[in-house]
Amino acid sequence: MGKTTSVVTLGGLLAQSGKRVLVVDLDPHGSLTSWFGYDPDTISQSVFNLFQHEGKVPEGLPGQLVADTGCPGLSLMPASTALATLERKMVGVGGMGLIISRALAQLWDDFDYVLLDNTPSLGVLMVNALAAAQHLVIPVQTEFLAIKGLERMLHTLQMIMRSQKNQLSYTIVPTLYDRRTQASVKSLNMLRKSYPDTLWRFSIPVDTKFRDASQQGVIPSVVDPDTHGVRAYRHLLEDLLTLTQKGREPSDG
């Protein structure tokens, strides 16, 4: 769906603007972790360590899990494939839905922005991400099956947010858009019709520079700061910053 590419690109642009940014990998597949050259199968210090303390986060532990990305200002809290066992191992343990919130609370003074790369499936990781988030960015490929998947995911999100009594704002971002293909154009029009209030006004185009960046283990704006994909993400970042800053105004709660 483009979630990892979105996290890396947006995080990289924020870091290049002088912000201190932490990206957190909450996906057992570890794509974000792999992007920066770490192996989710063998890594010993990861987000998984946060969940091994009976619902509590030991003081100082989150800082020990922060890894270097090679990009100044951008840090990573990596994932391990052991995250896939959380549901089974943590049955009956209280407070598991607030682990990430508690961990990030220890790091508030160290970072200006935190971006979470989360699995779209229902479970303890999604519950943690929603509890810690201020705004959701939902990338969706401009193709029919991805749009059907979006419908199911939004239903799941609403269900969790109702149970948490925490209604988050969100932005749906069309990705992998190719205006040369009829399927992509039709899909974008479908998204605009179905989600007029929450769909981002533009789209992220297909861009081979993203693949080049992931192969090199760097942020896309290092490979080419002016490629059309990076320019699109730069516009997205501007809109998200405007949106979230409005959300922090006292009149909005």
Side-chain angles (χ1 to χ4, degrees):
M1 291 177 67
K3 62 185 184 62
T4 298
T5 298
S6 297
V7 167
V8 171
T9 310
L10 292 172
L13 289 170
L14 281 168
Q16 288 181 322
S17 72
K19 303 299 183 182
R20 301 168 301 167
V21 184
L22 175 67
V23 291
V24 181
D25 196 347
L26 294 179
D27 191 333
H29 291 108
S31 296
L32 178 61
T33 300
S34 297
W35 187 301
F36 292 110
Y38 298 95
D39 185 353
D41 291 324
T42 60
I43 196 166
S44 59
Q45 296 286 90
S46 75
V47 168
F48 182 73
N49 297 78
L50 296 174
F51 290 87
Q52 296 179 305
H53 304 278
E54 298 184 348
K56 301 176 182 178
V57 179
E59 190 69 30
L61 177 60
Q64 298 172 26
L65 306 181
V66 174
D68 181 49
T69 67
C71 172
L74 184 65
S75 300
L76 166 72
M77 190 177 289
S80 70
T81 51
L83 284 173
T85 68
L86 273 184
E87 305 293 337
R88 175 172 51 84
K89 290 184 175 181
M90 306 304 173
V91 172
V93 179
M96 297 306 293
L98 297 174
I99 294 296
I100 298 302
S101 294
R102 291 169 181 161
L104 295 181
Q106 293 188 27
L107 299 171
W108 278 342
D109 292 336
D110 298 326
F111 298 100
D112 300 306
Y113 292 94
V114 178
L115 306 183
L116 308 176
D117 184 3
N118 190 67
T119 172
S121 58
L122 176 61
V124 68
L125 290 170
M126 180 180 283
V127 170
N128 268 270
L130 293 180
Q134 293 180 331
H135 185 80
L136 307 180
V137 177
I138 306 175
V140 56
Q141 292 180 19
T142 47
E143 58 100 10
F144 179 73
L145 289 180
I147 293 175
K148 298 303 290 184
L150 173 66
E151 294 174 9
R152 293 190 295 271
M153 188 174 70
L154 287 175
H155 176 74
T156 300
L157 286 174
Q158 292 297 338
M159 182 174 62
I160 296 176
M161 287 192 288
R162 279 195 299 270
S163 68
Q164 291 183 335
K165 297 180 180 179
N166 178 28
Q167 287 296 315
L168 291 170
S169 59
Y170 60 87
T171 301
I172 300 169
V173 179
T175 63
L176 293 178
Y177 178 65
D178 188 346
R179 63 182 181 182
R180 300 167 299 180
T181 69
Q182 189 176 30
S184 201
V185 172
K186 282 186 175 180
S187 295
L188 183 56
N189 288 335
M190 187 184 304
L191 286 168
R192 286 172 173 164
K193 183 178 180 180
S194 301
Y195 306 101
D197 299 326
T198 52
L199 187 73
W200 184 46
R201 55 186 176 142
F202 301 121
S203 60
I204 306 296
V206 172
D207 192 335
T208 58
K209 297 296 185 182
F210 294 138
R211 182 184 60 206
D212 295 342
S214 66
Q215 291 175 344
Q216 296 175 36
V218 299
I219 60 175
S221 47
V222 164
V223 174
D224 187 343
D226 294 317
T227 188
H228 52 300
V230 170
R231 288 201 305 269
Y233 272 112
R234 194 172 283 116
H235 287 308
L236 173 61
L237 180 59
E238 292 169 357
D239 286 347
L240 290 174
L241 290 175
T242 299
L243 187 64
T244 54
Q245 285 165 4
K246 285 181 179 178
R248 295 193 188 104
E249 293 175 0
S251 59
D252 291 334

